[in-house]
Amino acid sequence: MLTKKQLDLLEFIHKRVQAVGVPPSFDEMKAALDLRSKSGIHRLITALEERGFIRRLAHRARAIEIVKLPESLGGEPTAGFKPRVIEGNRPEGPRPANFEPVRVDALELPVMGRIAAGVPIEAISHVSHHVAVPGSMVSGSGEHYALEVRGDSMIEAGINDGDVVVIRETTAADNGDIVVALVEDQEATLKRFFRRGQAIALEAANPAYETRVLPEDKVKVQGRLVGLIRSY
């Protein structure tokens, strides 16, 4: 069940996509719902995504896709929905011959401290503890590690204060990637990466923070974001 604000936002996004083919901006959403800040819109977007009504596509501006609609907005009824149940350790009666247990693979990654704009590199140079993540999140080559996020500089990319980000170690990045960047061998920051000629732009996902543009020899990519774990 959606709250009124969540339903209002979903309806606004749906109507805008139908009308012009492009989702509204955060500013337009904020104005339409008469909210004071874009952080409120972010929370509504996150709630809609977690409930399966929308999907955000990485590395694309305004990339919000409507996945489904509630019946009140013309969506399909859910009467025929059958949830998939994962059995616990107290089975009742014999299992059918074609029974296949559900297996969820998980890996433990080291959490290398905290990261935010301006945090000294020493803060992520040692393992503080470990965290279990789905195996699918660390698929592919390369070593992985996790970092705790502090601050709101990436809030419009869906990365909140207190989240844990999963990073794949790499020294290369494409424009638009969210990376861990080491600046002047002194501080580490989580930002979007853009190459501008002989310079590197580190862009926050929050208009309250200015984009930092530095000579390319002052920035070293330490890893690329591949996953996120949210705490409530």
Side-chain angles (χ1 to χ4, degrees):
M1 179 179 294
L2 298 178
T3 66
K4 184 180 185 304
K5 283 292 187 182
Q6 291 166 359
L7 187 62
D8 288 346
L9 180 59
L10 183 60
E11 182 178 15
F12 179 64
I13 295 172
H14 178 56
K15 288 182 177 179
R16 177 60 65 87
V17 171
Q18 285 187 318
V20 301
V22 178
S25 68
F26 271 53
D27 284 320
E28 291 169 331
M29 296 180 206
K30 179 169 70 72
L33 271 70
D34 194 26
L35 295 180
R36 294 182 179 180
S37 70
K38 285 187 282 188
S39 62
I41 292 296
H42 170 74
R43 287 191 291 270
L44 293 174
I45 289 288
T46 299
L48 290 172
E49 186 175 33
E50 290 170 347
R51 288 161 175 77
F53 288 95
I54 65 171
R55 179 186 299 121
R56 283 182 286 189
L57 307 178
H59 312 321
R60 290 172 55 187
R62 298 195 185 190
I64 298 176
E65 176 185 6
I66 301 289
V67 177
K68 65 179 182 180
L69 293 172
E71 289 184 65
S72 61
L73 297 181
E76 294 291 332
T78 58
F81 173 73
K82 294 183 179 179
R84 183 184 183 188
V85 178
I86 300 176
E87 293 191 4
N89 58 2
R90 298 180 62 187
E92 298 180 3
R95 294 174 177 173
N98 62 349
F99 173 80
E100 293 184 4
V102 177
R103 178 180 176 183
V104 179
D105 293 323
L107 298 173
E108 282 201 348
L109 293 182
V111 179
M112 307 292 287
R114 299 172 178 175
I115 186 167
V119 171
I121 186 61
E122 287 79 11
I124 64 168
S125 62
H126 67 281
V127 177
S128 61
H129 59 282
H130 287 76
V131 63
V133 302
S136 59
M137 193 178 289
V138 295
S139 60
S141 60
E143 296 295 324
H144 295 74
Y145 59 93
L147 293 167
E148 293 181 3
V149 176
R150 286 293 175 264
D152 61 355
S153 66
M154 298 300 291
I155 192 169
E156 290 191 7
I159 304 172
N160 297 337
D161 181 54
D163 287 348
V164 173
V165 290
V166 178
I167 305 296
R168 176 182 295 142
E169 287 188 17
T170 181
T171 58
D174 296 325
N175 284 340
D177 284 348
I178 297 178
V179 304
V180 175
L182 179 62
V183 178
E184 296 182 337
D185 292 323
Q186 293 183 359
E187 61 182 56
T189 186
L190 187 71
K191 293 291 183 291
R192 285 198 187 277
F193 174 97
F194 293 95
R195 184 174 294 279
R196 298 181 180 176
Q198 300 299 309
I200 301 297
L202 299 176
E203 182 179 291
N206 184 334
Y209 295 81
E210 293 184 357
T211 297
R212 299 176 68 182
V213 180
L214 300 145
E216 61 180 352
D217 62 347
K218 300 294 184 182
V219 178
K220 297 177 182 176
V221 173
Q222 304 285 287
R224 183 172 63 85
L225 176 74
V226 296
L228 182 144
I229 302 169
R230 175 144 300 150
S231 298
Y232 291 94

PDB file of all heavy atoms in Angstrom, residues 154-188:
ATOM      1  N   MET A 154      25.903  12.596  -2.181  1.00  0.00           N
ATOM      2  CA  MET A 154      25.471  11.743  -3.299  1.00  0.00           C
ATOM      3  C   MET A 154      24.016  11.330  -3.158  1.00  0.00           C
ATOM      4  O   MET A 154      23.587  10.313  -3.700  1.00  0.00           O
ATOM      5  CB  MET A 154      26.377  10.510  -3.386  1.00  0.00           C
ATOM      6  CG  MET A 154      27.824  10.810  -3.667  1.00  0.00           C
ATOM      7  SD  MET A 154      28.065  11.688  -5.239  1.00  0.00           S
ATOM      8  CE  MET A 154      27.647  10.405  -6.417  1.00  0.00           C
ATOM      9  N   ILE A 155      23.230  12.134  -2.462  1.00  0.00           N
ATOM     10  CA  ILE A 155      21.859  11.738  -2.129  1.00  0.00           C
ATOM     11  C   ILE A 155      20.979  11.592  -3.362  1.00  0.00           C
ATOM     12  O   ILE A 155      20.094  10.720  -3.411  1.00  0.00           O
ATOM     13  CB  ILE A 155      21.251  12.749  -1.130  1.00  0.00           C
ATOM     14  CG1 ILE A 155      19.954  12.203  -0.539  1.00  0.00           C
ATOM     15  CG2 ILE A 155      21.047  14.120  -1.755  1.00  0.00           C
ATOM     16  CD1 ILE A 155      19.423  12.999   0.621  1.00  0.00           C
ATOM     17  N   GLU A 156      21.193  12.394  -4.401  1.00  0.00           N
ATOM     18  CA  GLU A 156      20.353  12.299  -5.585  1.00  0.00           C
ATOM     19  C   GLU A 156      20.743  11.121  -6.476  1.00  0.00           C
ATOM     20  O   GLU A 156      20.049  10.826  -7.450  1.00  0.00           O
ATOM     21  CB  GLU A 156      20.374  13.609  -6.374  1.00  0.00           C
ATOM     22  CG  GLU A 156      19.651  14.730  -5.640  1.00  0.00           C
ATOM     23  CD  GLU A 156      19.426  15.960  -6.496  1.00  0.00           C
ATOM     24  OE1 GLU A 156      19.704  15.909  -7.715  1.00  0.00           O
ATOM     25  OE2 GLU A 156      18.974  16.977  -5.952  1.00  0.00           O
ATOM     26  N   ALA A 157      21.820  10.443  -6.145  1.00  0.00           N
ATOM     27  CA  ALA A 157      22.170   9.189  -6.808  1.00  0.00           C
ATOM     28  C   ALA A 157      21.656   8.001  -6.003  1.00  0.00           C
ATOM     29  O   ALA A 157      21.976   6.852  -6.308  1.00  0.00           O
ATOM     30  CB  ALA A 157      23.685   9.088  -6.995  1.00  0.00           C
ATOM     31  N   GLY A 158      20.870   8.289  -4.961  1.00  0.00           N
ATOM     32  CA  GLY A 158      20.306   7.225  -4.144  1.00  0.00           C
ATOM     33  C   GLY A 158      21.231   6.727  -3.064  1.00  0.00           C
ATOM     34  O   GLY A 158      21.008   5.661  -2.487  1.00  0.00           O
ATOM     35  N   ILE A 159      22.285   7.478  -2.744  1.00  0.00           N
ATOM     36  CA  ILE A 159      23.258   7.076  -1.733  1.00  0.00           C
ATOM     37  C   ILE A 159      23.097   7.977  -0.528  1.00  0.00           C
ATOM     38  O   ILE A 159      23.405   9.167  -0.586  1.00  0.00           O
ATOM     39  CB  ILE A 159      24.699   7.154  -2.286  1.00  0.00           C
ATOM     40  CG1 ILE A 159      24.828   6.299  -3.550  1.00  0.00           C
ATOM     41  CG2 ILE A 159      25.701   6.698  -1.241  1.00  0.00           C
ATOM     42  CD1 ILE A 159      26.142   6.469  -4.278  1.00  0.00           C
ATOM     43  N   ASN A 160      22.615   7.411   0.574  1.00  0.00           N
ATOM     44  CA  ASN A 160      22.297   8.191   1.768  1.00  0.00           C
ATOM     45  C   ASN A 160      23.381   8.065   2.834  1.00  0.00           C
ATOM     46  O   ASN A 160      24.182   7.118   2.820  1.00  0.00           O
ATOM     47  CB  ASN A 160      20.970   7.737   2.363  1.00  0.00           C
ATOM     48  CG  ASN A 160      19.801   7.970   1.428  1.00  0.00           C
ATOM     49  OD1 ASN A 160      19.865   8.825   0.541  1.00  0.00           O
ATOM     50  ND2 ASN A 160      18.733   7.218   1.619  1.00  0.00           N
ATOM     51  N   ASP A 161      23.352   8.988   3.762  1.00  0.00           N
ATOM     52  CA  ASP A 161      24.220   8.903   4.934  1.00  0.00           C
ATOM     53  C   ASP A 161      23.933   7.604   5.681  1.00  0.00           C
ATOM     54  O   ASP A 161      22.775   7.289   5.967  1.00  0.00           O
ATOM     55  CB  ASP A 161      23.958  10.106   5.840  1.00  0.00           C
ATOM     56  CG  ASP A 161      24.833  10.103   7.074  1.00  0.00           C
ATOM     57  OD1 ASP A 161      26.062  10.020   6.920  1.00  0.00           O
ATOM     58  OD2 ASP A 161      24.281  10.159   8.185  1.00  0.00           O
ATOM     59  N   GLY A 162      24.977   6.838   5.984  1.00  0.00           N
ATOM     60  CA  GLY A 162      24.806   5.581   6.695  1.00  0.00           C
ATOM     61  C   GLY A 162      24.749   4.360   5.801  1.00  0.00           C
ATOM     62  O   GLY A 162      24.841   3.224   6.291  1.00  0.00           O
ATOM     63  N   ASP A 163      24.592   4.548   4.484  1.00  0.00           N
ATOM     64  CA  ASP A 163      24.595   3.411   3.570  1.00  0.00           C
ATOM     65  C   ASP A 163      25.992   2.787   3.497  1.00  0.00           C
ATOM     66  O   ASP A 163      26.997   3.438   3.809  1.00  0.00           O
ATOM     67  CB  ASP A 163      24.185   3.842   2.163  1.00  0.00           C
ATOM     68  CG  ASP A 163      22.705   4.144   2.048  1.00  0.00           C
ATOM     69  OD1 ASP A 163      21.965   3.813   2.991  1.00  0.00           O
ATOM     70  OD2 ASP A 163      22.296   4.716   1.029  1.00  0.00           O
ATOM     71  N   VAL A 164      26.032   1.544   3.075  1.00  0.00           N
ATOM     72  CA  VAL A 164      27.299   0.866   2.806  1.00  0.00           C
ATOM     73  C   VAL A 164      27.390   0.648   1.299  1.00  0.00           C
ATOM     74  O   VAL A 164      26.480   0.068   0.689  1.00  0.00           O
ATOM     75  CB  VAL A 164      27.393  -0.486   3.537  1.00  0.00           C
ATOM     76  CG1 VAL A 164      28.646  -1.254   3.099  1.00  0.00           C
ATOM     77  CG2 VAL A 164      27.409  -0.276   5.046  1.00  0.00           C
ATOM     78  N   VAL A 165      28.449   1.153   0.681  1.00  0.00           N
ATOM     79  CA  VAL A 165      28.644   0.976  -0.759  1.00  0.00           C
ATOM     80  C   VAL A 165      29.651  -0.127  -1.014  1.00  0.00           C
ATOM     81  O   VAL A 165      30.620  -0.294  -0.273  1.00  0.00           O
ATOM     82  CB  VAL A 165      29.106   2.286  -1.430  1.00  0.00           C
ATOM     83  CG1 VAL A 165      27.983   3.301  -1.456  1.00  0.00           C
ATOM     84  CG2 VAL A 165      30.335   2.870  -0.742  1.00  0.00           C
ATOM     85  N   VAL A 166      29.384  -0.903  -2.053  1.00  0.00           N
ATOM     86  CA  VAL A 166      30.281  -1.983  -2.462  1.00  0.00           C
ATOM     87  C   VAL A 166      31.096  -1.484  -3.642  1.00  0.00           C
ATOM     88  O   VAL A 166      30.547  -0.990  -4.633  1.00  0.00           O
ATOM     89  CB  VAL A 166      29.486  -3.247  -2.838  1.00  0.00           C
ATOM     90  CG1 VAL A 166      30.426  -4.351  -3.302  1.00  0.00           C
ATOM     91  CG2 VAL A 166      28.656  -3.724  -1.648  1.00  0.00           C
ATOM     92  N   ILE A 167      32.408  -1.607  -3.525  1.00  0.00           N
ATOM     93  CA  ILE A 167      33.335  -1.039  -4.505  1.00  0.00           C
ATOM     94  C   ILE A 167      34.167  -2.152  -5.140  1.00  0.00           C
ATOM     95  O   ILE A 167      34.695  -3.028  -4.441  1.00  0.00           O
ATOM     96  CB  ILE A 167      34.285  -0.017  -3.833  1.00  0.00           C
ATOM     97  CG1 ILE A 167      33.482   1.069  -3.099  1.00  0.00           C
ATOM     98  CG2 ILE A 167      35.235   0.585  -4.869  1.00  0.00           C
ATOM     99  CD1 ILE A 167      32.628   1.925  -3.998  1.00  0.00           C
ATOM    100  N   ARG A 168      34.269  -2.111  -6.465  1.00  0.00           N
ATOM    101  CA  ARG A 168      35.198  -3.014  -7.168  1.00  0.00           C
ATOM    102  C   ARG A 168      36.494  -2.256  -7.422  1.00  0.00           C
ATOM    103  O   ARG A 168      36.484  -1.158  -7.988  1.00  0.00           O
ATOM    104  CB  ARG A 168      34.603  -3.484  -8.487  1.00  0.00           C
ATOM    105  CG  ARG A 168      35.588  -4.367  -9.303  1.00  0.00           C
ATOM    106  CD  ARG A 168      34.982  -4.776 -10.634  1.00  0.00           C
ATOM    107  NE  ARG A 168      33.835  -5.628 -10.415  1.00  0.00           N
ATOM    108  CZ  ARG A 168      32.727  -5.578 -11.155  1.00  0.00           C
ATOM    109  NH1 ARG A 168      32.621  -4.699 -12.128  1.00  0.00           N
ATOM    110  NH2 ARG A 168      31.734  -6.407 -10.908  1.00  0.00           N
ATOM    111  N   GLU A 169      37.603  -2.825  -6.992  1.00  0.00           N
ATOM    112  CA  GLU A 169      38.894  -2.162  -7.179  1.00  0.00           C
ATOM    113  C   GLU A 169      39.215  -2.031  -8.663  1.00  0.00           C
ATOM    114  O   GLU A 169      39.145  -2.988  -9.415  1.00  0.00           O
ATOM    115  CB  GLU A 169      40.004  -2.954  -6.479  1.00  0.00           C
ATOM    116  CG  GLU A 169      39.976  -2.856  -4.968  1.00  0.00           C
ATOM    117  CD  GLU A 169      41.204  -3.482  -4.350  1.00  0.00           C
ATOM    118  OE1 GLU A 169      42.203  -3.693  -5.076  1.00  0.00           O
ATOM    119  OE2 GLU A 169      41.172  -3.782  -3.152  1.00  0.00           O
ATOM    120  N   THR A 170      39.542  -0.814  -9.073  1.00  0.00           N
ATOM    121  CA  THR A 170      39.955  -0.545 -10.448  1.00  0.00           C
ATOM    122  C   THR A 170      40.633   0.806 -10.481  1.00  0.00           C
ATOM    123  O   THR A 170      40.388   1.654  -9.614  1.00  0.00           O
ATOM    124  CB  THR A 170      38.756  -0.556 -11.418  1.00  0.00           C
ATOM    125  OG1 THR A 170      39.214  -0.310 -12.760  1.00  0.00           O
ATOM    126  CG2 THR A 170      37.737   0.496 -11.038  1.00  0.00           C
ATOM    127  N   THR A 171      41.469   1.024 -11.466  1.00  0.00           N
ATOM    128  CA  THR A 171      42.121   2.322 -11.635  1.00  0.00           C
ATOM    129  C   THR A 171      41.559   3.063 -12.835  1.00  0.00           C
ATOM    130  O   THR A 171      42.023   4.157 -13.157  1.00  0.00           O
ATOM    131  CB  THR A 171      43.638   2.148 -11.824  1.00  0.00           C
ATOM    132  OG1 THR A 171      43.881   1.312 -12.962  1.00  0.00           O
ATOM    133  CG2 THR A 171      44.272   1.513 -10.587  1.00  0.00           C
ATOM    134  N   ALA A 172      40.550   2.474 -13.490  1.00  0.00           N
ATOM    135  CA  ALA A 172      39.968   3.093 -14.684  1.00  0.00           C
ATOM    136  C   ALA A 172      38.496   3.369 -14.433  1.00  0.00           C
ATOM    137  O   ALA A 172      37.836   2.688 -13.650  1.00  0.00           O
ATOM    138  CB  ALA A 172      40.134   2.186 -15.899  1.00  0.00           C
ATOM    139  N   ALA A 173      37.970   4.378 -15.115  1.00  0.00           N
ATOM    140  CA  ALA A 173      36.554   4.720 -14.979  1.00  0.00           C
ATOM    141  C   ALA A 173      36.069   5.377 -16.261  1.00  0.00           C
ATOM    142  O   ALA A 173      36.839   6.016 -16.981  1.00  0.00           O
ATOM    143  CB  ALA A 173      36.338   5.657 -13.793  1.00  0.00           C
ATOM    144  N   ASP A 174      34.791   5.198 -16.545  1.00  0.00           N
ATOM    145  CA  ASP A 174      34.144   5.863 -17.676  1.00  0.00           C
ATOM    146  C   ASP A 174      33.390   7.084 -17.169  1.00  0.00           C
ATOM    147  O   ASP A 174      33.010   7.161 -15.995  1.00  0.00           O
ATOM    148  CB  ASP A 174      33.163   4.911 -18.370  1.00  0.00           C
ATOM    149  CG  ASP A 174      33.854   3.706 -18.997  1.00  0.00           C
ATOM    150  OD1 ASP A 174      34.986   3.873 -19.483  1.00  0.00           O
ATOM    151  OD2 ASP A 174      33.250   2.616 -18.997  1.00  0.00           O
ATOM    152  N   ASN A 175      33.140   8.012 -18.059  1.00  0.00           N
ATOM    153  CA  ASN A 175      32.374   9.193 -17.685  1.00  0.00           C
ATOM    154  C   ASN A 175      31.019   8.792 -17.110  1.00  0.00           C
ATOM    155  O   ASN A 175      30.308   7.973 -17.691  1.00  0.00           O
ATOM    156  CB  ASN A 175      32.166  10.107 -18.889  1.00  0.00           C
ATOM    157  CG  ASN A 175      33.411  10.889 -19.233  1.00  0.00           C
ATOM    158  OD1 ASN A 175      34.313  11.061 -18.414  1.00  0.00           O
ATOM    159  ND2 ASN A 175      33.489  11.383 -20.459  1.00  0.00           N
ATOM    160  N   GLY A 176      30.682   9.370 -15.961  1.00  0.00           N
ATOM    161  CA  GLY A 176      29.418   9.069 -15.312  1.00  0.00           C
ATOM    162  C   GLY A 176      29.500   8.007 -14.242  1.00  0.00           C
ATOM    163  O   GLY A 176      28.553   7.853 -13.467  1.00  0.00           O
ATOM    164  N   ASP A 177      30.604   7.257 -14.188  1.00  0.00           N
ATOM    165  CA  ASP A 177      30.762   6.243 -13.145  1.00  0.00           C
ATOM    166  C   ASP A 177      30.869   6.914 -11.777  1.00  0.00           C
ATOM    167  O   ASP A 177      31.445   8.000 -11.639  1.00  0.00           O
ATOM    168  CB  ASP A 177      32.027   5.409 -13.369  1.00  0.00           C
ATOM    169  CG  ASP A 177      31.865   4.385 -14.483  1.00  0.00           C
ATOM    170  OD1 ASP A 177      30.723   4.169 -14.925  1.00  0.00           O
ATOM    171  OD2 ASP A 177      32.886   3.800 -14.894  1.00  0.00           O
ATOM    172  N   ILE A 178      30.317   6.265 -10.767  1.00  0.00           N
ATOM    173  CA  ILE A 178      30.527   6.704  -9.389  1.00  0.00           C
ATOM    174  C   ILE A 178      31.744   5.969  -8.860  1.00  0.00           C
ATOM    175  O   ILE A 178      31.774   4.735  -8.851  1.00  0.00           O
ATOM    176  CB  ILE A 178      29.293   6.419  -8.519  1.00  0.00           C
ATOM    177  CG1 ILE A 178      28.095   7.224  -9.038  1.00  0.00           C
ATOM    178  CG2 ILE A 178      29.575   6.792  -7.059  1.00  0.00           C
ATOM    179  CD1 ILE A 178      26.810   6.985  -8.291  1.00  0.00           C
ATOM    180  N   VAL A 179      32.753   6.721  -8.444  1.00  0.00           N
ATOM    181  CA  VAL A 179      34.045   6.125  -8.094  1.00  0.00           C
ATOM    182  C   VAL A 179      34.514   6.581  -6.722  1.00  0.00           C
ATOM    183  O   VAL A 179      34.050   7.598  -6.189  1.00  0.00           O
ATOM    184  CB  VAL A 179      35.126   6.499  -9.139  1.00  0.00           C
ATOM    185  CG1 VAL A 179      34.703   6.088 -10.534  1.00  0.00           C
ATOM    186  CG2 VAL A 179      35.450   7.993  -9.088  1.00  0.00           C
ATOM    187  N   VAL A 180      35.436   5.809  -6.169  1.00  0.00           N
ATOM    188  CA  VAL A 180      36.240   6.266  -5.042  1.00  0.00           C
ATOM    189  C   VAL A 180      37.489   6.893  -5.641  1.00  0.00           C
ATOM    190  O   VAL A 180      38.258   6.227  -6.339  1.00  0.00           O
ATOM    191  CB  VAL A 180      36.622   5.106  -4.118  1.00  0.00           C
ATOM    192  CG1 VAL A 180      37.568   5.595  -3.027  1.00  0.00           C
ATOM    193  CG2 VAL A 180      35.384   4.482  -3.496  1.00  0.00           C
ATOM    194  N   ALA A 181      37.654   8.183  -5.430  1.00  0.00           N
ATOM    195  CA  ALA A 181      38.786   8.900  -6.006  1.00  0.00           C
ATOM    196  C   ALA A 181      39.710   9.386  -4.900  1.00  0.00           C
ATOM    197  O   ALA A 181      39.251   9.936  -3.896  1.00  0.00           O
ATOM    198  CB  ALA A 181      38.300  10.087  -6.834  1.00  0.00           C
ATOM    199  N   LEU A 182      40.997   9.181  -5.108  1.00  0.00           N
ATOM    200  CA  LEU A 182      42.018   9.680  -4.194  1.00  0.00           C
ATOM    201  C   LEU A 182      42.538  10.999  -4.764  1.00  0.00           C
ATOM    202  O   LEU A 182      43.049  11.053  -5.885  1.00  0.00           O
ATOM    203  CB  LEU A 182      43.155   8.669  -4.070  1.00  0.00           C
ATOM    204  CG  LEU A 182      44.316   9.048  -3.169  1.00  0.00           C
ATOM    205  CD1 LEU A 182      43.843   9.235  -1.734  1.00  0.00           C
ATOM    206  CD2 LEU A 182      45.403   7.965  -3.231  1.00  0.00           C
ATOM    207  N   VAL A 183      42.382  12.070  -3.992  1.00  0.00           N
ATOM    208  CA  VAL A 183      42.734  13.410  -4.451  1.00  0.00           C
ATOM    209  C   VAL A 183      44.040  13.838  -3.817  1.00  0.00           C
ATOM    210  O   VAL A 183      44.175  13.888  -2.589  1.00  0.00           O
ATOM    211  CB  VAL A 183      41.616  14.420  -4.094  1.00  0.00           C
ATOM    212  CG1 VAL A 183      42.014  15.818  -4.529  1.00  0.00           C
ATOM    213  CG2 VAL A 183      40.304  14.008  -4.749  1.00  0.00           C
ATOM    214  N   GLU A 184      45.022  14.125  -4.672  1.00  0.00           N
ATOM    215  CA  GLU A 184      46.340  14.608  -4.251  1.00  0.00           C
ATOM    216  C   GLU A 184      46.969  13.704  -3.191  1.00  0.00           C
ATOM    217  O   GLU A 184      47.679  14.179  -2.306  1.00  0.00           O
ATOM    218  CB  GLU A 184      46.229  16.047  -3.743  1.00  0.00           C
ATOM    219  CG  GLU A 184      45.785  17.025  -4.832  1.00  0.00           C
ATOM    220  CD  GLU A 184      45.727  18.454  -4.345  1.00  0.00           C
ATOM    221  OE1 GLU A 184      45.595  18.660  -3.127  1.00  0.00           O
ATOM    222  OE2 GLU A 184      45.834  19.371  -5.188  1.00  0.00           O
ATOM    223  N   ASP A 185      46.689  12.413  -3.283  1.00  0.00           N
ATOM    224  CA  ASP A 185      47.262  11.413  -2.370  1.00  0.00           C
ATOM    225  C   ASP A 185      46.955  11.703  -0.905  1.00  0.00           C
ATOM    226  O   ASP A 185      47.649  11.217  -0.010  1.00  0.00           O
ATOM    227  CB  ASP A 185      48.780  11.305  -2.551  1.00  0.00           C
ATOM    228  CG  ASP A 185      49.166  10.710  -3.894  1.00  0.00           C
ATOM    229  OD1 ASP A 185      48.457   9.796  -4.354  1.00  0.00           O
ATOM    230  OD2 ASP A 185      50.152  11.177  -4.490  1.00  0.00           O
ATOM    231  N   GLN A 186      45.898  12.471  -0.631  1.00  0.00           N
ATOM    232  CA  GLN A 186      45.623  12.868   0.746  1.00  0.00           C
ATOM    233  C   GLN A 186      44.204  12.571   1.209  1.00  0.00           C
ATOM    234  O   GLN A 186      43.984  12.276   2.379  1.00  0.00           O
ATOM    235  CB  GLN A 186      45.883  14.373   0.917  1.00  0.00           C
ATOM    236  CG  GLN A 186      47.341  14.756   0.765  1.00  0.00           C
ATOM    237  CD  GLN A 186      47.561  16.244   1.007  1.00  0.00           C
ATOM    238  OE1 GLN A 186      46.631  16.982   1.273  1.00  0.00           O
ATOM    239  NE2 GLN A 186      48.812  16.677   0.917  1.00  0.00           N
ATOM    240  N   GLU A 187      43.217  12.661   0.323  1.00  0.00           N
ATOM    241  CA  GLU A 187      41.849  12.464   0.755  1.00  0.00           C
ATOM    242  C   GLU A 187      41.096  11.608  -0.260  1.00  0.00           C
ATOM    243  O   GLU A 187      41.423  11.607  -1.446  1.00  0.00           O
ATOM    244  CB  GLU A 187      41.123  13.803   0.939  1.00  0.00           C
ATOM    245  CG  GLU A 187      41.029  14.625  -0.329  1.00  0.00           C
ATOM    246  CD  GLU A 187      40.345  15.964  -0.099  1.00  0.00           C
ATOM    247  OE1 GLU A 187      40.821  16.716   0.767  1.00  0.00           O
ATOM    248  OE2 GLU A 187      39.348  16.241  -0.783  1.00  0.00           O
ATOM    249  N   ALA A 188      40.118  10.864   0.240  1.00  0.00           N
ATOM    250  CA  ALA A 188      39.308  10.013  -0.619  1.00  0.00           C
ATOM    251  C   ALA A 188      37.885  10.537  -0.637  1.00  0.00           C
ATOM    252  O   ALA A 188      37.377  11.039   0.364  1.00  0.00           O
ATOM    253  CB  ALA A 188      39.326   8.577  -0.115  1.00  0.00           C
TER     254      ALA A 188
END
